[in-house]
Amino acid sequence: MVTRVIVLNGGSSSGKSGIARCLQAVLPDPWLALGVDTLIQAMPVALQISDVKIAPGGELTIGPAFRTLEAAWIEGVAAMARAGARVIVDEVFLGAAASQQRWRQALGGLRVLWVGVRCDSAIAAGREIARGDRVVGMAVAQADLVHRDVVYDLEVDTTQVESMACARAIAARVD
């Protein structure tokens, strides 16, 4: 069975999106890169405002309407993989192991490579500020939280390793 899905889980500004782009460049077959940011951008702005609360310090609280759309989106990503697409998922497991379980259930029967993307929280915080499109504090708040009790096939650390080197390490594990 060939790998159909690569799930990259890491906190905000940990380097997941850069790794996903590099994976698309180094993997021999075409792969779609989809992430939680894709989902958020597809949602109505009113829902983003009403159902996603960001506390001072960057802690996120997600409401039921967001969760309903997220569940449908996860099933949709799984359906694309079942239909033959190879998919890189750029995700932030705010619910840690419970988030992974939702994905595992949807992706059942597919070959999935689970990758933890780690980054020192101070480095991620610096990236967050440089990006200018994130609430300050999200990177620190999420750096460890998203990995709690999550089981990976492989972990990479972008603190001192470039996205391309991480992508090559991941690509070496893809069937």
Side-chain angles (χ1 to χ4, degrees), residues 8-85:
L8 306 174
N9 174 51
S12 180
S13 300
S14 63
K16 301 175 306 298
S17 298
I19 291 171
R21 284 189 299 277
C22 290
L23 279 166
Q24 287 178 307
V26 301
L27 290 167
D29 298 314
W31 286 72
L32 297 174
L34 303 169
V36 68
D37 289 343
T38 310
L39 169 65
I40 292 168
Q41 290 168 1
M43 289 182 176
V45 173
L47 179 64
Q48 293 174 32
I49 293 168
S50 68
D51 228 42
V52 179
K53 303 296 182 205
I54 305 173
E59 184 179 330
L60 290 171
T61 304
I62 305 299
F66 182 100
R67 289 287 182 215
T68 299
L69 290 176
E70 178 188 43
W73 180 74
I74 290 170
E75 290 294 334
V77 171
M80 284 190 283
R82 285 192 180 85

Coordinates of all heavy atoms in Angstrom, one line a residue, residues 8-85:
L8 N 1.2 16.7 8.7 CA 2.2 17.5 9.4 C 1.5 18.2 10.5 O 0.6 19.0 10.3 CB 2.9 18.5 8.4 CG 3.5 18.1 7.1 CD1 3.9 19.3 6.3 CD2 4.7 17.2 7.4
N9 N 1.9 17.9 11.7 CA 1.2 18.5 12.9 C 2.3 19.3 13.6 O 3.4 18.8 14.0 CB 0.6 17.5 13.8 CG 0.1 18.2 15.1 OD1 -0.6 19.2 15.1 ND2 0.5 17.7 16.2
G10 N 2.0 20.6 13.9 CA 2.9 21.4 14.7 C 2.2 22.7 15.0 O 1.1 23.1 14.4
G11 N 2.8 23.4 15.9 CA 2.2 24.7 16.4 C 2.3 25.8 15.3 O 3.0 25.6 14.3
S12 N 1.7 26.9 15.5 CA 1.8 28.0 14.6 C 3.2 28.4 14.4 O 4.0 28.5 15.4 CB 1.0 29.2 15.2 OG 1.0 30.3 14.4
S13 N 3.6 28.7 13.2 CA 4.9 29.2 12.8 C 6.0 28.2 13.1 O 7.2 28.6 13.2 CB 5.2 30.6 13.6 OG 4.3 31.5 13.2
S14 N 5.7 26.9 13.1 CA 6.7 25.9 13.3 C 7.4 25.5 12.0 O 8.4 24.8 12.1 CB 6.1 24.7 14.0 OG 5.1 24.1 13.2
G15 N 6.8 25.9 10.9 CA 7.5 25.6 9.6 C 6.7 24.6 8.8 O 7.3 24.1 7.8
K16 N 5.5 24.2 9.1 CA 4.7 23.2 8.4 C 4.5 23.6 7.0 O 4.7 22.7 6.1 CB 3.4 22.9 9.1 CG 3.5 22.4 10.5 CD 2.1 22.3 11.2 CE 1.3 23.5 11.1 NZ 1.7 24.7 11.8
S17 N 4.1 24.8 6.7 CA 3.7 25.2 5.4 C 5.0 25.2 4.5 O 4.9 24.8 3.3 CB 3.1 26.6 5.4 OG 1.9 26.6 6.1
G18 N 6.1 25.6 5.0 CA 7.3 25.6 4.2 C 7.7 24.2 3.9 O 8.2 23.9 2.7
I19 N 7.6 23.3 4.8 CA 7.9 21.9 4.6 C 6.9 21.3 3.5 O 7.4 20.6 2.6 CB 7.8 21.0 5.9 CG1 9.0 21.4 6.8 CG2 7.9 19.5 5.6 CD1 8.9 20.9 8.2
A20 N 5.7 21.6 3.6 CA 4.7 21.1 2.6 C 5.1 21.6 1.2 O 5.1 20.8 0.3 CB 3.3 21.6 3.0
R21 N 5.5 22.8 1.1 CA 5.9 23.3 -0.3 C 7.2 22.6 -0.7 O 7.3 22.2 -1.9 CB 6.1 24.8 -0.2 CG 4.8 25.6 -0.2 CD 5.1 27.1 -0.4 NE 5.9 27.7 0.6 CZ 5.5 28.1 1.8 NH1 4.2 28.0 2.1 NH2 6.3 28.7 2.7
C22 N 8.1 22.3 0.2 CA 9.3 21.6 -0.2 C 9.0 20.2 -0.6 O 9.6 19.6 -1.5 CB 10.3 21.7 0.9 SG 11.0 23.3 1.1
L23 N 8.1 19.5 0.2 CA 7.6 18.2 -0.1 C 7.1 18.1 -1.6 O 7.4 17.2 -2.3 CB 6.6 17.7 0.9 CG 7.2 17.1 2.2 CD1 6.1 17.0 3.2 CD2 7.9 15.8 2.0
Q24 N 6.3 19.1 -1.9 CA 5.7 19.1 -3.3 C 6.8 19.2 -4.3 O 6.7 18.7 -5.4 CB 4.7 20.3 -3.4 CG 3.4 20.1 -2.7 CD 2.5 21.3 -2.8 OE1 2.9 22.4 -2.6 NE2 1.3 21.1 -3.3
A25 N 7.9 19.8 -4.0 CA 9.0 20.0 -4.9 C 9.9 18.7 -5.0 O 10.4 18.4 -6.1 CB 9.9 21.1 -4.5
V26 N 10.0 17.9 -3.9 CA 10.9 16.8 -3.9 C 10.2 15.4 -4.1 O 10.9 14.5 -4.6 CB 11.8 16.7 -2.6 CG1 12.6 18.0 -2.4 CG2 10.9 16.4 -1.4
L27 N 8.9 15.4 -3.9 CA 8.3 14.1 -4.1 C 8.0 13.9 -5.6 O 7.7 14.9 -6.3 CB 6.9 14.0 -3.3 CG 7.1 13.9 -1.8 CD1 5.8 14.2 -1.1 CD2 7.6 12.6 -1.4
P28 N 8.2 12.7 -6.1 CA 8.1 12.5 -7.5 C 6.7 12.6 -8.1 O 6.5 13.0 -9.3 CB 8.6 11.0 -7.7 CG 8.4 10.4 -6.4 CD 8.5 11.5 -5.4
D29 N 5.7 12.3 -7.4 CA 4.3 12.5 -7.9 C 3.7 13.8 -7.4 O 4.2 14.4 -6.4 CB 3.4 11.3 -7.3 CG 3.9 10.0 -7.8 OD1 4.2 9.8 -9.0 OD2 4.0 9.0 -7.0
P30 N 2.6 14.2 -8.0 CA 2.0 15.5 -7.6 C 1.2 15.2 -6.2 O 0.5 14.2 -6.1 CB 1.0 15.8 -8.7 CG 1.1 14.8 -9.7 CD 2.0 13.7 -9.3
W31 N 1.4 16.1 -5.3 CA 0.7 16.1 -4.0 C 0.0 17.4 -3.8 O 0.5 18.5 -4.1 CB 1.7 15.9 -2.9 CG 2.3 14.5 -2.8 CD1 3.2 13.9 -3.7 CD2 2.1 13.6 -1.8 NE1 3.5 12.7 -3.2 CE2 2.8 12.4 -2.1 CE3 1.3 13.6 -0.6 CZ2 2.8 11.3 -1.3 CZ3 1.2 12.4 0.2 CH2 2.0 11.3 -0.2
L32 N -1.2 17.3 -3.3 CA -2.0 18.5 -2.9 C -1.6 18.9 -1.5 O -1.4 18.0 -0.7 CB -3.5 18.2 -2.9 CG -4.1 17.9 -4.2 CD1 -5.6 17.5 -4.0 CD2 -4.0 19.0 -5.2
A33 N -1.4 20.2 -1.2 CA -1.1 20.7 0.1 C -2.3 21.4 0.6 O -2.7 22.4 0.0 CB 0.1 21.6 0.1
L34 N -2.9 20.9 1.7 CA -4.1 21.5 2.3 C -3.9 21.6 3.8 O -3.2 20.7 4.4 CB -5.3 20.6 2.1 CG -5.7 20.2 0.6 CD1 -6.7 19.1 0.5 CD2 -6.1 21.5 -0.1
G35 N -4.4 22.7 4.3 CA -4.1 22.9 5.8 C -5.3 23.5 6.4 O -6.3 23.9 5.8
V36 N -5.1 23.6 7.7 CA -6.2 24.3 8.5 C -6.4 25.7 8.0 O -7.5 26.2 8.1 CB -5.9 24.2 10.0 CG1 -4.7 25.0 10.4 CG2 -7.1 24.6 10.8
D37 N -5.3 26.4 7.6 CA -5.5 27.7 7.0 C -6.3 27.7 5.8 O -7.1 28.6 5.5 CB -4.1 28.3 6.7 CG -3.3 28.7 7.9 OD1 -3.9 28.8 9.0 OD2 -2.1 28.9 7.8
T38 N -6.3 26.6 5.0 CA -7.1 26.5 3.8 C -8.6 26.4 4.2 O -9.5 27.1 3.6 CB -6.8 25.1 3.1 OG1 -5.4 25.0 2.8 CG2 -7.6 25.0 1.7
L39 N -8.9 25.7 5.3 CA -10.2 25.6 5.8 C -10.7 27.0 6.3 O -11.8 27.4 6.0 CB -10.3 24.6 7.0 CG -11.5 24.6 7.8 CD1 -12.7 24.1 7.0 CD2 -11.3 23.6 9.0
I40 N -9.9 27.6 7.1 CA -10.3 28.9 7.6 C -10.5 29.9 6.5 O -11.5 30.7 6.6 CB -9.2 29.4 8.6 CG1 -9.2 28.5 9.9 CG2 -9.4 30.9 9.0 CD1 -8.0 28.7 10.8
Q41 N -9.7 30.0 5.5 CA -9.9 30.9 4.4 C -11.1 30.6 3.6 O -11.7 31.5 3.0 CB -8.7 30.8 3.5 CG -7.4 31.4 4.1 CD -6.2 31.1 3.3 OE1 -6.2 30.5 2.2 NE2 -5.0 31.6 3.8
A42 N -11.6 29.4 3.6 CA -12.8 29.0 2.9 C -14.1 29.4 3.7 O -15.2 29.4 3.1 CB -12.8 27.5 2.6
M43 N -13.9 29.6 5.0 CA -15.1 29.9 5.8 C -15.5 31.4 5.7 O -14.7 32.2 5.4 CB -14.7 29.7 7.3 CG -14.6 28.3 7.7 SD -14.3 28.2 9.5 CE -14.2 26.4 9.7
P44 N -16.8 31.6 5.9 CA -17.2 33.0 5.9 C -16.5 33.8 7.0 O -16.3 33.3 8.1 CB -18.7 32.9 6.2 CG -19.1 31.5 6.0 CD -17.9 30.7 6.2
V45 N -16.2 35.0 6.7 CA -15.5 35.9 7.7 C -16.3 36.0 9.0 O -15.8 35.9 10.1 CB -15.2 37.3 7.1 CG1 -14.6 38.2 8.2 CG2 -14.2 37.2 6.0
A46 N -17.6 36.1 8.9 CA -18.5 36.2 10.1 C -18.3 35.0 11.0 O -18.3 35.1 12.2 CB -20.0 36.3 9.6
L47 N -18.2 33.8 10.4 CA -18.0 32.6 11.2 C -16.6 32.6 11.9 O -16.4 32.2 13.0 CB -18.1 31.3 10.4 CG -17.9 30.0 11.2 CD1 -19.0 29.9 12.2 CD2 -18.0 28.8 10.2
Q48 N -15.6 33.1 11.1 CA -14.2 33.2 11.7 C -14.2 34.1 12.9 O -13.6 33.8 13.9 CB -13.3 33.7 10.6 CG -13.0 32.8 9.5 CD -12.2 33.5 8.4 OE1 -11.3 34.3 8.7 NE2 -12.4 33.1 7.1
I49 N -15.0 35.1 12.8 CA -15.1 36.1 13.9 C -15.9 35.5 15.1 O -15.5 35.7 16.3 CB -15.6 37.4 13.5 CG1 -14.6 38.1 12.5 CG2 -15.9 38.4 14.6 CD1 -15.2 39.3 11.7
S50 N -17.0 34.9 14.8 CA -17.9 34.5 15.9 C -17.5 33.2 16.5 O -17.9 32.9 17.7 CB -19.4 34.4 15.3 OG -19.5 33.3 14.4
D51 N -16.9 32.3 15.8 CA -16.6 30.9 16.3 C -15.2 30.6 16.6 O -14.9 29.5 17.1 CB -17.2 29.9 15.3 CG -18.1 28.9 16.0 OD1 -18.9 29.2 16.9 OD2 -17.9 27.7 15.7
V52 N -14.3 31.5 16.4 CA -12.9 31.4 16.7 C -12.5 32.5 17.6 O -12.5 33.7 17.2 CB -12.0 31.3 15.4 CG1 -10.5 31.2 15.8 CG2 -12.4 30.2 14.5
K53 N -12.2 32.2 18.9 CA -11.9 33.2 19.9 C -10.4 33.1 20.2 O -9.9 32.0 20.5 CB -12.7 33.1 21.1 CG -14.2 33.1 20.9 CD -14.6 34.5 20.4 CE -16.1 34.5 20.3 NZ -16.6 35.5 19.3
I54 N -9.7 34.2 20.1 CA -8.3 34.2 20.4 C -8.1 35.1 21.7 O -8.3 36.3 21.6 CB -7.4 34.7 19.3 CG1 -7.7 33.9 18.0 CG2 -5.9 34.7 19.6 CD1 -7.1 34.5 16.7
A55 N -7.6 34.4 22.7 CA -7.4 35.1 24.0 C -6.1 35.8 24.0 O -5.2 35.5 23.2 CB -7.5 34.1 25.2
P56 N -5.9 36.9 24.8 CA -4.6 37.5 24.9 C -3.6 36.3 25.3 O -3.9 35.5 26.1 CB -4.7 38.5 26.0 CG -6.2 38.8 26.1 CD -6.9 37.5 25.6
G57 N -2.5 36.3 24.6 CA -1.5 35.2 24.8 C -1.6 34.2 23.8 O -0.8 33.2 23.7
G58 N -2.6 34.3 22.9 CA -2.7 33.4 21.7 C -3.4 32.1 21.9 O -3.5 31.3 21.0
E59 N -4.1 31.9 23.0 CA -4.9 30.7 23.2 C -6.1 30.7 22.4 O -6.9 31.7 22.4 CB -5.2 30.4 24.7 CG -5.9 29.1 24.9 CD -6.2 28.9 26.4 OE1 -5.5 29.4 27.2 OE2 -7.2 28.3 26.7
L60 N -6.4 29.7 21.6 CA -7.6 29.6 20.7 C -8.7 28.8 21.4 O -8.5 27.8 22.0 CB -7.2 28.9 19.4 CG -6.4 29.7 18.5 CD1 -5.9 28.9 17.3 CD2 -7.1 31.0 18.0
T61 N -9.9 29.3 21.2 CA -11.1 28.5 21.5 C -12.0 28.4 20.3 O -12.3 29.4 19.7 CB -11.9 29.2 22.7 OG1 -11.1 29.5 23.8 CG2 -13.1 28.4 23.1
I62 N -12.3 27.2 19.9 CA -13.1 26.9 18.7 C -14.5 26.6 19.1 O -14.8 25.7 19.9 CB -12.4 25.7 18.0 CG1 -10.9 26.0 17.7 CG2 -13.2 25.4 16.7 CD1 -10.6 27.2 16.9
G63 N -15.5 27.1 18.4 CA -16.9 26.9 18.6 C -17.5 25.8 17.8 O -16.8 25.2 17.0
P64 N -18.7 25.4 18.1 CA -19.4 24.3 17.5 C -19.6 24.4 16.0 O -19.5 23.4 15.2 CB -20.7 24.2 18.2 CG -21.0 25.5 18.8 CD -19.6 26.1 19.1
A65 N -19.9 25.6 15.5 CA -20.1 25.8 14.0 C -18.8 25.5 13.3 O -18.8 24.8 12.2 CB -20.6 27.2 13.7
F66 N -17.7 26.0 13.8 CA -16.3 25.7 13.2 C -16.1 24.2 13.2 O -15.7 23.6 12.2 CB -15.2 26.4 14.0 CG -13.9 26.2 13.4 CD1 -13.3 27.2 12.7 CD2 -13.1 25.1 13.7 CE1 -12.0 27.0 12.1 CE2 -11.8 24.9 13.2 CZ -11.3 25.9 12.4
R67 N -16.4 23.5 14.4 CA -16.1 22.1 14.5 C -16.9 21.3 13.5 O -16.5 20.3 12.9 CB -16.4 21.6 15.9 CG -15.4 22.0 16.9 CD -14.1 21.3 16.8 NE -13.2 21.7 17.8 CZ -11.9 21.8 17.7 NH1 -11.4 21.5 16.6 NH2 -11.2 22.2 18.7
T68 N -18.2 21.7 13.2 CA -19.0 21.0 12.2 C -18.4 21.1 10.9 O -18.3 20.1 10.1 CB -20.4 21.6 12.2 OG1 -21.0 21.4 13.5 CG2 -21.3 21.0 11.2
L69 N -18.0 22.3 10.5 CA -17.3 22.5 9.2 C -16.0 21.8 9.1 O -15.6 21.2 8.1 CB -17.1 24.0 8.8 CG -18.4 24.7 8.5 CD1 -18.1 26.2 8.3 CD2 -19.1 24.1 7.3
E70 N -15.2 21.8 10.2 CA -14.0 21.1 10.3 C -14.1 19.6 10.0 O -13.4 18.9 9.3 CB -13.3 21.3 11.6 CG -11.9 20.6 11.8 CD -11.4 20.7 13.2 OE1 -12.1 20.6 14.1 OE2 -10.2 20.9 13.3
A71 N -15.2 19.0 10.7 CA -15.4 17.6 10.5 C -15.7 17.2 9.1 O -15.2 16.2 8.5 CB -16.6 17.1 11.4
A72 N -16.5 18.1 8.4 CA -16.8 17.8 7.0 C -15.6 18.0 6.1 O -15.4 17.2 5.2 CB -17.9 18.8 6.6
W73 N -14.8 19.0 6.5 CA -13.5 19.2 5.7 C -12.6 18.0 5.8 O -12.0 17.5 4.9 CB -12.9 20.5 6.2 CG -11.6 20.8 5.5 CD1 -11.5 21.3 4.3 CD2 -10.3 20.7 6.1 NE1 -10.1 21.5 4.0 CE2 -9.4 21.1 5.1 CE3 -9.8 20.3 7.3 CZ2 -8.0 21.2 5.2 CZ3 -8.4 20.3 7.5 CH2 -7.5 20.7 6.5
I74 N -12.4 17.5 7.1 CA -11.6 16.3 7.3 C -12.1 15.1 6.4 O -11.3 14.4 5.8 CB -11.5 16.0 8.8 CG1 -10.7 17.0 9.5 CG2 -10.9 14.6 9.0 CD1 -10.8 16.9 11.1
E75 N -13.4 14.9 6.4 CA -13.9 13.8 5.6 C -13.7 14.1 4.1 O -13.5 13.1 3.4 CB -15.4 13.7 5.9 CG -15.7 13.1 7.3 CD -15.3 11.7 7.5 OE1 -15.1 10.9 6.5 OE2 -15.0 11.3 8.7
G76 N -13.8 15.3 3.7 CA -13.5 15.7 2.3 C -12.1 15.4 1.9 O -11.8 14.9 0.8
V77 N -11.1 15.8 2.8 CA -9.7 15.5 2.5 C -9.5 14.0 2.4 O -8.8 13.5 1.5 CB -8.8 16.1 3.6 CG1 -7.4 15.6 3.5 CG2 -8.9 17.6 3.6
A78 N -10.1 13.2 3.3 CA -10.0 11.8 3.2 C -10.6 11.2 1.9 O -10.0 10.3 1.3 CB -10.7 11.1 4.4
A79 N -11.7 11.8 1.5 CA -12.4 11.4 0.2 C -11.5 11.7 -1.0 O -11.4 10.9 -1.9 CB -13.7 12.1 0.1
M80 N -10.8 12.8 -0.9 CA -9.8 13.1 -2.0 C -8.7 12.1 -2.1 O -8.4 11.6 -3.2 CB -9.3 14.5 -1.9 CG -10.2 15.6 -2.2 SD -9.4 17.2 -2.3 CE -9.3 17.6 -0.6
A81 N -8.2 11.7 -0.9 CA -7.1 10.7 -0.9 C -7.7 9.3 -1.4 O -7.0 8.6 -2.2 CB -6.6 10.6 0.5
R82 N -8.9 9.0 -1.0 CA -9.5 7.7 -1.5 C -9.7 7.7 -3.0 O -9.7 6.7 -3.6 CB -10.8 7.4 -0.7 CG -10.5 7.0 0.7 CD -11.8 6.4 1.4 NE -11.4 6.0 2.7 CZ -11.4 6.8 3.8 NH1 -11.8 8.0 3.7 NH2 -11.0 6.3 4.9
A83 N -10.0 8.9 -3.5 CA -10.2 9.1 -4.9 C -9.0 9.1 -5.8 O -9.0 9.2 -7.0 CB -11.0 10.3 -5.2
G84 N -7.8 9.0 -5.1 CA -6.5 8.9 -5.8 C -5.6 10.1 -5.6 O -4.4 10.0 -6.1
A85 N -6.0 11.2 -5.0 CA -5.1 12.3 -4.8 C -4.1 11.9 -3.6 O -4.5 11.2 -2.7 CB -5.9 13.5 -4.4

